[in-house]
Amino acid sequence: MDQTSENASQAGGEEKEKVNWFAEARGLALMLLVVLAFHSLVAKPFYIPSASMMPTLWVGDRLIVSKYPYGWSWASASFHLLPRSDWRIWADTPEYGDIVIPVHPIRNEDYIKRVVALPGDTIEVREGRIILNGTPIAREQVASVRLPLEPELYCNRIDGLATPCLDAFEDHRVETAEGIFFEPPTFRETLPNGATYLVIDHEEVRFDDHGPVPVPEGHVFVMGDNRDHSADSRASIGESGLGGPVPLENIGGRAEFITFSLDGSTSWNPVSWFSSLRGDRAWTTLRPAIAEGTAVGEAAERTAD
């Protein structure tokens, strides 16, 4: 091979090795747009950072939130990139018992709460019991949930300081041969559509008496299942709450199921990535059960037959 041919071959090889950075950047941008669109329109992951929804949701739960059940609004967009407004596309209304993602009225911060009153309802809370349209909902005390002591699980981190997530249940600590647990008073509530779920109510606090509050059209009233430790529709904005009924355009989605859950002991050690898993919580549905004997429950049974 002569020198000219050799130089031409080297030049050709150099051209092949050149990276088209514009094409690479365009491909990356397209991929990010697809992910953003999926998160905004279909579903996104969600992390539980506080105990406000215990016993249904534990700190460390990772779950999937669907974006389409109630239509789309400014709150649907990931990272809340859209300006706040009252528009909604393919709008729908949550059902009693749905676990939804309301956005704080001022801050672009996602909360997670349960819908307990719908547009047109009047809700009141007396001695911790929900009264809808003048009628107390069904509520009965059941066996206390058993919440394990997880000493490496911390919440309420402010200025670098945090407290154990279950500190508020210290008066209900029990020690057994199986370990240390908290067993706070637990109740089963059943809403008018038959949606039934567990709540914790162990203190007499200001949130135990609230209202009556009429829920305007286009709004829902939401509460956390950990009734004494939830900044929700009962709490003012100054108390980090939602300041009353939540506009439906501020609802960013519905919680569907838990994908996996970590107990706070995860570290850089790969072994801990598995040992910290709460295996019994994975793939747990977050749609409320329908109580037997209700009109909805009886209809479901007839359908199943």
Side-chain angles (χ1 to χ4, degrees), residues 96-170:
Y96 289 117
D98 283 358
I99 298 176
V100 300
I101 312 298
V103 183
H104 189 273
I106 297 175
R107 304 187 303 273
N108 286 335
E109 182 179 344
D110 289 335
Y111 282 40
I112 184 164
K113 306 295 176 187
R114 189 182 298 277
V115 174
V116 294
L118 298 179
D121 285 342
T122 295
I123 183 170
E124 185 176 1
V125 182
R126 287 291 169 258
E127 297 181 354
R129 186 166 186 176
I130 294 174
I131 302 171
L132 275 181
N133 304 317
T135 303
I137 67 168
R139 170 175 157 128
E140 62 174 336
Q141 187 160 7
V142 296
S144 296
V145 293
R146 173 174 279 194
L147 307 172
L149 172 65
E150 295 171 328
E152 295 170 284
L153 199 66
Y154 282 80
C155 296
N156 306 320
R157 190 173 296 277
I158 301 175
D159 297 328
L161 300 177
T163 57
C165 292
L166 303 186
D167 254 12
F169 301 142
E170 190 61 37

Side-chain angles (χ1 to χ4, degrees), residues 50-59 144-150 153 155-156 163-175 180-187 199-203 205 224-230:
S50 78
S52 70
M53 279 295 290
M54 294 189 87
T56 306
L57 290 168
W58 294 14
V59 180
S144 296
V145 293
R146 173 174 279 194
L147 307 172
L149 172 65
E150 295 171 328
L153 199 66
C155 296
N156 306 320
T163 57
C165 292
L166 303 186
D167 254 12
F169 301 142
E170 190 61 37
D171 290 344
H172 305 286
R173 177 195 285 244
V174 296
E175 297 189 26
I180 301 175
F181 300 89
F182 300 97
E183 297 183 351
T186 306
F187 299 82
V199 300
I200 294 173
D201 190 358
H202 69 109
E203 293 180 353
V205 296
D225 291 349
N226 187 359
R227 290 294 161 77
D228 300 319
H229 306 281
S230 174

Side-chain angles (χ1 to χ4, degrees), residues 262-263 265-267 269-279:
L262 300 174
D263 65 9
S265 63
T266 310
S267 67
N269 183 347
V271 174
S272 71
W273 302 350
F274 301 95
S275 62
S276 62
L277 283 170
R278 302 178 180 128

